[in-house]
Amino acid sequence: MHFTHALVRPPTPSMIDGLTTQNLGVPVFDLALQQHRAYVETLKKIGLRVHELGADDRYPDACFIEDTAIRYKELVFITQPGAESRRGETGAVDEWYSETDPTMDFVNLTGDEYLDGGDVLICDGLSGTTHVFIGVGQRTNLAGANRLRDALLNQNADLRVQLVPFGGMLHLKSGLNDIFPGVLLRAPELSAEMDLSDFTVHTLPAAESYAANVVVINDDVLIPAGYPTVAHIAAQYYSAERIHALDMSEFAKIDGGLTCLSLRE
Ligand code: CIR
């Protein structure tokens, strides 16, 4: 996949009330804003065109825009986030894509179908096959996962899609991400049965499980700053100028990682 654009949404002061499973204290809003700016600047430096949706103080978790939609080829799949307090976040994202290109294939989750984008990993294996892992867990149910699988296969029947019931983490991508084509990082707490035979898997030490959430953008990779094992693994695949280590301390306090802060296409 070659990315050219990203959609982001800056944090708002209400982020201090964001949902969390962590015990790391309350985010400092001004610092979060600085960290978000650095994230956006990095995406631009890599060459993406970045559009920022307006911040909306009604939604403390809206900066985690990844959870609201899946973009793949012509598909714009608007989710219903699993957490009730987050459901209103999708409106602005739906509106943006509808205005930008109404000819895309839109699918909107409804009724009892729930899915967070953080549960959806799309990446290439060693064979060149594109794999999709859809985690079924706290935020994504089977109905939402089935709807996404059908919509993705409609775009590309050659995708290898696996529905993955999992535990141990909030989102599937809290504990499993590609760091390079055919190479995955896995957090040791992630408990999930899935076929990873098309990948080399690096299982991280428990102290670095947060850093299993990294983002590959074309020839570059974003990693969270402060995780030496992950930095070392990244250096096996990328030259130093292609590795961007970003401070994520304030987002980590409310379970946010690097993937959550943008929708890339
Ligand atoms: C939440 O609990 O929904 C937010 N505080 C964090 C969402 C992180 N999103 C993601 O990993 N995709």
Side-chain angles (χ1 to χ4, degrees), residues 15 17-21 60-62 64-68 81 83 85-86 89 116-119 139 170-174 213 251 253-261:
M15 78 174 291
D17 297 320
L19 298 171
T20 189
T21 63
D61 289 299
F64 304 122
I65 194 168
E66 170 184 67
D67 292 318
T68 61
S85 65
R86 301 199 56 191
E89 294 174 23
D116 278 12
D119 284 325
R139 299 290 179 85
L170 179 64
H171 286 116
L172 182 69
K173 284 198 292 195
S174 315
N213 188 269
F251 299 106
K253 290 175 179 172
I254 49 172
D255 284 316
L258 287 162
T259 63
C260 332
L261 290 181

Side-chain angles (χ1 to χ4, degrees), residues 109-163:
L109 284 190
T110 56
D112 63 357
E113 301 164 325
Y114 297 109
L115 182 137
D116 278 12
D119 284 325
V120 182
L121 175 63
I122 303 180
C123 59
D124 290 338
L126 293 167
S127 66
T129 300
T130 301
H131 294 255
V132 183
F133 299 93
I134 308 177
V136 177
Q138 292 177 41
R139 299 290 179 85
T140 295
N141 65 9
L142 209 49
N146 280 326
R147 191 88 190 280
L148 178 62
R149 181 192 53 204
D150 294 348
L152 288 168
L153 288 172
N154 200 31
Q155 295 291 320
N156 177 1
D158 293 333
L159 291 173
R160 165 108 203 271
V161 184
Q162 298 183 53
L163 265 52

Side-chain angles (χ1 to χ4, degrees), residues 17-264:
D17 297 320
L19 298 171
T20 189
T21 63
Q22 305 298 316
N23 206 1
L24 298 169
V26 177
V28 176
F29 171 64
D30 287 342
L31 187 52
L33 208 51
Q34 271 177 42
Q35 292 175 353
H36 194 269
R37 285 193 190 117
Y39 180 91
V40 169
E41 283 316 305
T42 304
L43 298 185
K44 289 181 178 167
K45 195 163 120 194
I46 291 171
L48 297 190
R49 292 189 64 178
V50 181
H51 181 78
E52 288 202 20
L53 290 186
D56 187 335
D57 212 38
R58 289 174 301 170
Y59 301 114
D61 289 299
C63 57
F64 304 122
I65 194 168
E66 170 184 67
D67 292 318
T68 61
I70 314 297
R71 280 285 295 107
Y72 179 74
K73 291 188 183 283
E74 298 301 302
L75 176 66
V76 179
F77 184 97
I78 303 292
T79 70
Q80 277 205 109
E84 200 171 352
S85 65
R86 301 199 56 191
R87 305 242 165 99
E89 294 174 23
T90 57
V93 178
D94 192 5
E95 205 171 292
W96 161 256
Y97 285 123
S98 308
E99 282 170 8
T100 310
D101 189 352
T103 68
M104 302 282 279
D105 298 335
F106 283 82
V107 174
N108 291 68
L109 284 190
T110 56
D112 63 357
E113 301 164 325
Y114 297 109
L115 182 137
D116 278 12
D119 284 325
V120 182
L121 175 63
I122 303 180
C123 59
D124 290 338
L126 293 167
S127 66
T129 300
T130 301
H131 294 255
V132 183
F133 299 93
I134 308 177
V136 177
Q138 292 177 41
R139 299 290 179 85
T140 295
N141 65 9
L142 209 49
N146 280 326
R147 191 88 190 280
L148 178 62
R149 181 192 53 204
D150 294 348
L152 288 168
L153 288 172
N154 200 31
Q155 295 291 320
N156 177 1
D158 293 333
L159 291 173
R160 165 108 203 271
V161 184
Q162 298 183 53
L163 265 52
V164 183
F166 74 97
M169 323 261 351
L170 179 64
H171 286 116
L172 182 69
K173 284 198 292 195
S174 315
L176 189 75
N177 290 274
D178 54 317
I179 188 164
F180 193 72
V183 183
L184 296 173
L185 298 183
R186 182 175 184 160
E189 305 94 301
L190 177 66
S191 87
E193 289 298 321
M194 58 202 149
D195 177 5
L196 298 179
S197 55
D198 200 18
F199 296 90
T200 298
V201 181
H202 295 274
T203 300
L204 300 176
E208 294 197 35
S209 62
Y210 174 76
N213 188 269
V214 299
V215 186
V216 173
I217 300 173
N218 306 331
D219 298 327
D220 291 64
V221 66
L222 314 188
I223 64 172
Y227 297 88
T229 307
V230 173
H232 180 74
I233 295 169
Q236 292 174 32
Y237 301 100
Y238 296 88
S239 56
E241 65 276 13
R242 297 289 189 182
I243 302 171
H244 308 271
L246 295 173
D247 193 352
M248 289 289 290
S249 63
E250 303 317 294
F251 299 106
K253 290 175 179 172
I254 49 172
D255 284 316
L258 287 162
T259 63
C260 332
L261 290 181
S262 60
L263 272 165
R264 301 156 298 277

